[in-house]
Amino acid sequence: MAREPRRSGQAGSERTAASGSDSKVAAGPARRKAAAASGRTAAAKAEAALNAALPQSAPPPGLSREAELEAYRAMLLIRRFEEKAGQMYGMGLIGGFCHLYIGQEAVVVGMQAAMKPGDQVITGYRDHGHMLATGMDAKGVMAELTGRRGGYSKGKGGSMHMFSVEKRFYGGHGIVGAQVPLGTGIAFANRYRGEEAVCLTYFGDGAANQGQVYESFNMAELWRLPVVYIIENNKYAMGTSVARSSAQQDFSKRGASFNIPGEQVDGMDVRAVKAAGERAIAWARGGKGPYILEMQTYRYRGHSMSDPAKYRTRDEVERMRTEHDAIEQVRKRLLEEHKVAEDELKRLDAEVRQIVNEAADFATHDPEPDPAELWTDVIYETA
Amino acid sequence: MPTDVLMPALSPTMEEGKLAKWLKKEGDSVKSGDVIAEIETDKATMEVEAVDEGVLAKILVPDGTENVAVNTPIAIIAANGEDVAEASAPRQKVEKAEQPETPAKGETEQAAKAPAKAASAVATPPAPAVQPEPDVPAGTEMVTMTVREALRDAMAEEMRRDGDVFVMGEEVAEYQGAYKVTQGLLQEFSDRRVVDTPITEHGFAGLGVGAAFAGLKPIVEFMTFNFAMQAIDQIVNSAAKTHYMSGGQIICPIVFRGPNGAAARVGAQHSQDYSSWYSHVPGLTVIAPYSAADAKGLLKAAIRYPNPVVFLENEILYGHSFPVPKLDDYVLPIGKAKVVRQGSDVTIVAWSIGMTYALKAAEELAKDGVEAEVIDLRTLRPMDTDTVVESVKKTGRCVTVEEGWPQAGLGAEISARLMAEAFDYLDAPVTRVSGRDVPMPYAANLEKLALPSVADVVEAAKAVCYR
Ligand SMILES: Cc1ncc(C[n+]2csc(CCOP(=O)(O)OP(=O)(O)O)c2C)c(N)n1
Ligand SMILES: [Mg+2]
């Protein structure tokens, strides 16, 4: 396949700057200014970089009242949903593996805000948040967790395997790293058909050590595929910290030898995520090929429900929760900057709780799949 | 001493080729490394170099000669100072007779001792024994073509028919295919649809599956299936299971194809049969054709089929010719075995290259008054058990033939099915002929011992007939 010339005249130099950047925070046009901001706290750095990164076309990092409210509600939905899933797991209603997304909500919500209709999403097994963010119905997701017929996969997939062609969500994959070539292939199809869509391909810091990730990077850059690789660096792969597993701990540089630009993003700040997402998606949509976003985030719960998380201190978790919580950040801004009334937030809270309760109720009472379903969907039968 | 220049082999499986062109004339002096001729196979063109210094004394095989067997002397080089006329005089008869007529690579030793006819079935497949499809209209014109051409035509026809079909893999485009199966596709369909990949099986298999999820119909070529082990996670976990795991939402119309099984003299890592591996997996459809007609009709069906298909070809069969119905759109049903030879005494079940042993054995058995019914499974999953059971009801005996290993092989599966579905009809235990339970050795004699033979099949068939 022929390598297409980049569409933008400055692309070459931009990319050199990006991949050659030492900046811990941002790449591309933001590089020099971001580097100048060194010495401040990570959050301040991220914010400074963000400001610097959005000179020409990108919107300012601050979000409108409406956008903040929307992000707040979306993140809250994921958090409450996951808390409920945890409870239901404890009650024995959910079986097997159940990987909660609590703590990482700003990543998918920020990226969702940066996407356009038609863009696709694919991820691993920690996928409930991604599905809710794309607008998939909480009832269908929860009923899949409980293995009921009303679940997105009719109860045959479970927590790790749900899909929605309508919402352009392609799963839900249980083999660490396998979604990366798959997402790259979806991007290949977009390019093949001359469609504008970009495929957002999420994976973890642990998955980033899989060989197939680099096989994908190579092809994506070689063929300039419209894919954004989002590495959700929550610092651990099960019990293995990034420090114990990764020779290059700056994941934004993991595409360097393929000339893929990357940036590190404060994944606890939904504004930073959205802004970086917009840059990355614009790059990919513009025919310049893949882009890597390392989302620095944190999972508050264990790897899965059965993980007591002894490999990290309570302190570490507490610090993230109290100082960096994504939802609290937005809540504070809504109250202080946007002057949203406490009552309005309470109303949102109640609304979200109701959705989650209804989902739990549905997932508890929906019947199990008909035994005949055992034999269906093995092979797709045309009419 | 004058030296013979022999027809070289260009690949492990090459048996003959065309002497395309002489670049030197008789009487020209040559030195080591000079290109003296060009030879061609259906796969490639190669140059023949002189290995000695001297004078090209005599050209034994003229320009344009087709089907020159490997190792045939094609010219004589006289050493410097030697009498050219003497060097080019007719050689002694005895020496000639020792040259095997069509030695398959790796069987030279065997062939040198025995007449060429006794070489393995692989060297000369009994092509005419394969009847055309029952539902091909009577009077349909048949054209002779190789399995390789049939596969290429199948892809080209489907690519013309459907813009979502594309082919990707290592060397499929500019190089025209490592085994020349994709020859000419790049020229017709451009590099948008004939995509050369880096050497990255796991990656491009997964990329193909993703593209299929998104609605395209990829044909993923593995240079050989040995290398698809790197990609087997994507084939099994992503391609085969996602339709089920998604409750039927995601479909995955993809074909993984390439040569499978032992070629010749390439050692253990390049000589594995994956028939049983893939046919183990629900969600996969596994096809392993023998004849060119089946290769064409079934590959076209596989490309149209909205499910992941593992299409197992065989390198040794690529160059073999068979009659193929000349029809605009020759598509065969997936999941249907074919009774290729009728017989009443014993059923022999085979597929892909196993058919060469089965058909040869049937001929031998007939000489001894044993009439074998030979079934070509063609599709391994779903397996057409009915056709096998129907046959066994008639014959009461069954021999299975495969090149793969015996444990958990398809012979074991067929045997179990016959016990379950035709126990009362069996007059003897089902007997398996398979590859030996060892990694494939390199040495010619050991390799031969590791593979099934016509004699193995004859022996097994006689045993189940108590003869
Ligand atoms: C190929 C493979 N190896 C191992 C596992 C078991 N496993 C599941 S999740 C996981 C850790 C992955 O961590 P990371 O990629 O950082 O994602 P996170 O769980 O932090 O979201 C492991 C080892 C697996 N599912 N697949
Ligand atoms: Mg992790």
Side-chain angles (χ1 to χ4, degrees), chain A residues 9 64 113 115 129 167 170 175 199 215 271 291 324 348 366:
Chain A
S64 68
M115 285 165 63
K167 301 290 182 195
Y170 285 86
I175 304 300
C199 184
E215 299 190 25
R271 300 167 305 174
Y291 201 98
H324 298 282
L348 267 183
D366 191 41

Side-chain angles (χ1 to χ4, degrees), chain A residues 105-350:
Chain A
E105 297 90 343
V107 177
V108 290
V109 169
M111 288 306 297
Q112 187 69 29
M115 285 165 63
K116 288 217 176 94
D119 290 344
Q120 300 111 330
V121 172
I122 188 166
T123 187
Y125 45 84
R126 196 178 299 286
D127 55 354
H128 313 161
H130 302 69
M131 294 188 278
L132 295 173
T134 63
M136 286 168 70
D137 176 31
K139 281 191 184 131
V141 178
M142 196 68 96
E144 191 59 40
L145 297 186
T146 56
R148 306 305 168 100
R149 63 179 58 175
Y152 265 98
S153 299
K154 303 186 201 161
K156 299 201 275 193
S159 159
M160 301 185 282
H161 308 297
M162 280 177 256
F163 305 80
S164 168
V165 173
E166 184 207 341
K167 301 290 182 195
R168 312 273 272 175
F169 179 73
Y170 285 86
H173 298 273
I175 304 300
V176 168
Q179 72 272 30
V180 181
L182 295 173
T184 309
I186 293 168
F188 180 94
N190 293 342
R191 209 201 94 153
Y192 186 93
R193 294 184 154 145
E195 281 169 9
E196 288 279 273
V198 173
C199 184
L200 273 56
T201 301
Y202 292 84
F203 52 103
D205 48 281
N209 295 322
Q210 283 281 27
Q212 57 185 320
V213 169
Y214 299 90
E215 299 190 25
S216 303
F217 284 0
N218 186 41
M219 288 184 282
E221 176 64 20
L222 188 66
W223 299 332
R224 300 264 193 272
L225 302 181
V227 54
V228 175
Y229 296 113
I230 301 146
I231 303 176
E232 297 195 64
N233 178 5
N234 58 11
K235 317 290 189 285
Y236 294 92
M238 292 185 69
T240 305
S241 67
V242 166
R244 290 203 301 122
S245 63
S246 301
Q248 170 55 277
Q249 296 178 34
D250 180 345
F251 290 94
S252 72
K253 290 187 183 149
R254 288 290 185 101
S257 62
F258 307 95
N259 298 323
I260 303 175
E263 46 183 298
Q264 291 187 310
V265 183
D266 178 357
M268 304 302 276
D269 182 346
V270 73
R271 300 167 305 174
V273 172
K274 177 169 184 274
E278 281 166 352
R279 279 194 297 280
I281 292 171
W283 178 276
R285 207 187 307 282
K288 295 181 194 169
Y291 201 98
I292 293 171
L293 295 176
E294 175 192 343
M295 296 294 176
Q296 302 191 314
T297 181
Y298 202 79
R299 71 168 151 74
Y300 298 170
R301 298 292 186 94
H303 166 72
S304 65
M305 293 305 297
S306 52
D307 170 22
K310 294 235 168 78
Y311 42 82
R312 58 188 192 186
T313 62
R314 286 190 84 85
D315 251 23
E316 178 182 308
V317 183
E318 257 328 286
R319 201 156 18 82
M320 289 306 291
R321 291 181 96 117
T322 50
E323 292 172 21
H324 298 282
D325 186 69
I327 298 177
E328 276 311 310
Q329 289 186 41
V330 181
R331 188 182 156 80
K332 198 156 164 262
R333 286 198 299 270
L334 281 170
L335 293 170
E336 289 171 10
E337 290 170 31
H338 297 294
K339 309 289 175 212
V340 173
E342 186 92 46
D343 272 0
E344 194 174 342
L345 295 187
K346 281 208 180 116
R347 203 177 45 72
L348 267 183
D349 254 24

